[in-house]
Amino acid sequence: MSVPQEFVAVLDFGSQYAQLIARRIREHEVYAEILPHTTPAAQLRGGRAPIGIVLTGGPASVYAEGAPRCDPEILRLGVPVLAICYGMQLACLLLGGDVRPAAGREFGRTRARVLDAADLLEGVPAETTVWMSHGDAVDRVGADFRPLAATDNCPLAAVRHRSAPVYGVQFHPEVTHTVEGGRIFRNFLYRICRARGEWRTASLIERAVAGIREQVKDAGVVCGLSGGVDSAVTALLGHRAVGERLASIFVDNGLLRVGEREAVEKTFREALGLRLRTVDAAERFLEALRGVTDPEEKRTRIGHLFVDVFAEEARGIPGARFLAQGTLYPDVIESVSAHGGPTARIKTHHNVGGLPAALPFGLVEPLRDLFKDEVRRMGTALGLPEDLVWRHPFPGPGLAVRVLGEVTRERLATVRAADAIVREEIRRAGLERHVAQAFAVLLPVASVGVMGDGRTYEAAVAVRAVTTDDFMTADWARLPAEVLATISSRIINEVRGVNRVVYDVSTKPPSTIEWE
Ligand code: XMP
């Protein structure tokens, strides 16, 4: 695969945000590559030298035994370094500073004052909001460093070395809550690293297509379509890479939303002209989920059965040895520890962690390093219809993870009906593009209500609507009260067996977007 000349090396110390950093850099049209923190300085010199190096955050404390360190020579290469959070603490330590547990731990939004608006913080207002997430902080930096910004708890929120082009920020410029994060990356890339900016969406497409060709050679590929933008882009990339050797299959697992199967068939057959086979496997999925209440168990069973169904279907396709999936980066990071970093496992997304080891296919995952908005841009560039590009994401395990407790045909019908109302009212209010996801969750509790003159004892439905750019962090959507009122009264009136509707006002983290 061709590697672009101009790139930034992101040295990963086990941050949840390493890929987010890479994507922020790509957003500014510079290619970024994530490398292990153990990468020797020699590798970053000479022919494939990066124009800049980012040291990520990480869960360790720099003084803890076995805390990951980088080759100290990296800081003396003369290549500009942006060291974030743990990375900053490490860089300061390696260059003679003093790191210790901060007087107050800082998590979340914090006000920062800019002390020096030269290069890195150029154009950043004197007071700005940054996102902090640390226990330790740099205490003293010695005469070699200059403070650039401070917060109430952290007098060294941003620093720069006086002679080497080494910058440190204690906050996280890569998350959207750091209001000026984009500008800080832009300053780093264009003012400090002198980037030319040659990386475009077209490069992502070319790279993905070349990657698929190289991986599958002359074998056939089966693509699992879910109806969402991720699998649609995967199918189109696959089609571009191997043409008619790509066969698309849509599994109706019975866990879909209202009208979903029909919409998928119409779009892919009629609008995009792909060869598409629909498999009706609803009964088998329901059977596999019978009596299961544990969320991880649900995901694993669905994942296994999904692969079984695929394997059966694919037998009929000569030469098919690969399965193409639209796994995105956020699915990967929250399931396994990517790049060997010590990232914590949160939940198994079914198209990643739930796959059995003896998978009869090689996996083709061209979107594995990408975020939703990057995939959407690719979709537009590949000619996907806008409504598909902007469709809200829907989890692989479908409504099964929105029916808390046992998944039965009846409970699925309940959540499906409530979900249709939520989405319809969001659309009617013109809010579809303002929320990233909106859905209903059937809770495993009954509560008392009164209908007419009688007492009811029925299920509760939670409504969840979130805003987010990247699905790694999310906020609950401030839906207008009238919209919530309509959703609530329609669900209670129209969906049998529900007498209470609640609105979920939790952010991610610490909650997740889905309830399971
Ligand atoms: P969470 O709940 O982890 O969700 O905050 C983040 C995003 O991922 C979607 N999601 C999934 N997508 N397979 C998928 O393809 C899955 O198993 C899965 N689980 C969650 C979720 O809807 C949200 O957009």
Side-chain angles (χ1 to χ4, degrees):
M1 208 183 300
S2 67
V3 173
Q5 234 11 67
E6 179 178 278
F7 83 106
V8 168
V10 178
L11 298 196
D12 184 9
F13 292 92
S15 171
Q16 289 265 355
Y17 298 135
Q19 278 292 350
L20 189 53
I21 294 169
R23 158 265 170 85
R24 289 284 173 241
I25 296 171
R26 294 197 292 267
E27 247 171 34
H28 292 293
E29 303 186 329
V30 176
Y31 179 64
E33 193 164 309
I34 297 181
L35 299 173
H37 64 266
T38 48
T39 305
Q43 194 183 314
L44 302 175
R45 235 184 241 127
R48 266 219 77 211
I51 59 164
I53 297 169
V54 174
L55 309 184
T56 74
S61 161
V62 282
Y63 281 127
E65 204 177 320
R69 293 202 168 193
C70 60
D71 179 347
E73 283 308 305
I74 283 175
L75 302 173
R76 301 195 184 95
L77 288 171
V79 175
V81 172
L82 177 61
I84 299 172
C85 197
Y86 178 84
M88 163 167 164
Q89 294 157 19
L90 183 65
C92 290
L93 188 73
L94 294 176
L95 293 171
D98 193 1
V99 179
R100 48 180 80 182
R105 290 148 61 90
E106 276 184 304
F107 290 97
R109 287 190 179 85
T110 309
R111 296 296 291 170
R113 292 178 307 282
V114 172
L115 308 172
D116 179 345
D119 46 13
L120 187 68
L121 301 183
E122 182 140 346
V124 175
E127 281 246 335
T128 184
T129 300
V130 299
W131 180 265
M132 286 284 193
S133 180
H134 69 94
D136 292 351
V138 175
D139 191 57
R140 274 191 296 273
V141 274
D144 286 342
F145 279 93
R146 221 175 49 224
L148 302 180
T151 69
D152 285 346
N153 282 323
C154 182
L156 298 164
V159 296
R160 85 151 286 186
H161 195 269
R162 287 186 197 272
S163 51
V166 175
Y167 296 77
V169 286
Q170 183 58 65
F171 55 87
H172 288 271
E174 68 275 22
V175 306
T176 46
H177 309 295
T178 294
V179 175
E180 297 290 332
R183 189 192 298 271
I184 293 171
F185 273 109
R186 196 159 186 87
N187 286 342
F188 178 67
L189 294 169
Y190 288 92
R191 289 180 189 282
I192 298 168
C193 303
R194 305 265 164 223
R196 290 188 301 274
E198 296 164 340
W199 182 252
R200 305 272 185 280
T201 299
S203 330
L204 278 178
I205 293 175
E206 268 169 43
R207 197 174 154 82
V209 168
I212 297 172
R213 283 201 187 120
E214 190 180 296
Q215 187 185 357
V216 310
K217 309 223 159 48
D218 52 10
V221 181
V222 183
C223 182
L225 282 184
S226 70
V229 63
D230 310 337
S231 62
V233 168
T234 304
L236 290 182
L237 290 172
H239 194 250
R240 204 175 257 210
V242 306
E244 291 301 298
R245 279 186 283 124
L246 178 94
S248 295
I249 294 177
F250 176 60
V251 176
D252 181 351
N253 56 13
L255 309 170
L256 303 170
R257 294 170 291 187
V258 169
E260 202 146 31
R261 171 175 174 167
E262 297 71 22
V264 167
E265 291 179 329
K266 197 162 150 45
T267 311
F268 287 92
R269 288 208 183 110
E270 292 173 22
L272 298 172
L274 293 194
R275 231 170 3 121
L276 171 66
R277 223 184 111 56
T278 306
V279 190
D280 193 338
E283 285 302 327
R284 291 176 65 181
F285 278 86
L286 265 180
E287 188 52 40
L289 289 168
R290 192 199 298 266
V292 180
T293 55
D294 178 69
E296 286 296 287
E297 183 66 20
K298 281 183 191 173
R299 284 172 179 274
T300 308
R301 288 193 186 205
I302 293 169
H304 285 203
L305 184 52
F306 179 79
V307 173
D308 287 350
V309 172
F310 249 92
E312 287 163 23
E313 284 305 310
R315 261 184 222 122
I317 301 167
R321 290 208 303 278
F322 289 90
L323 172 62
Q325 290 202 135
T327 313
L328 296 192
Y329 183 69
D331 307 336
V332 179
I333 186 73
E334 294 187 0
S335 291
V336 290
S337 165
H339 304 280
T343 322
R345 169 175 154 150
I346 298 170
K347 64 175 99 162
T348 311
H349 284 187
H350 106 264
N351 41 5
V352 188
L355 292 175
L359 191 71
F361 295 104
L363 272 186
V364 176
E365 295 182 313
L367 312 180
R368 212 182 151 83
D369 287 341
L370 304 179
F371 288 83
K372 197 82 181 182
D373 52 342
E374 293 181 305
V375 172
R376 285 195 168 127
R377 277 200 292 277
M378 285 170 96
T380 304
L382 286 163
L384 275 185
E386 279 294 286
D387 59 336
L388 205 151
V389 167
W390 286 99
R391 239 180 63 136
H392 291 169
F394 184 59
L399 297 178
V401 291
R402 295 180 181 171
V403 169
L404 272 54
E406 189 179 0
V407 180
T408 62
R409 193 186 302 279
E410 295 68 36
R411 300 190 76 215
L412 278 171
T414 304
V415 82
R416 189 178 286 124
D419 177 78
I421 292 171
V422 173
R423 290 185 300 129
E424 203 175 299
E425 291 305 325
I426 295 275
R427 208 174 311 123
R428 204 197 300 273
L431 294 170
E432 213 176 10
R433 290 270 185 114
H434 298 274
V435 300
Q437 255 176 306
F439 54 88
V441 180
L442 180 60
L443 305 184
V445 292
S447 73
V448 175
V450 52
M451 253 181 218
D453 290 330
R455 173 189 188 271
T456 59
Y457 187 59
E458 291 179 331
V461 159
V463 174
R464 178 89 160 131
V466 295
T467 55
T468 173
D469 282 335
D470 51 37
F471 298 88
M472 301 280 283
T473 59
D475 200 358
W476 57 278
R478 281 17 176 207
L479 293 183
E482 315 81 73
V483 175
L484 287 172
T486 311
I487 289 174
S488 166
S489 87
R490 278 197 61 196
I491 291 177
I492 292 170
N493 284 312
E494 296 173 33
V495 183
R496 281 201 28 210
V498 177
N499 69 355
R500 190 175 296 273
V501 171
V502 296
Y503 189 52
D504 181 348
V505 290
S506 338
T507 57
K508 171 184 179 174
S511 301
T512 53
I513 294 173
E514 303 289 344
W515 279 46
E516 288 195 335

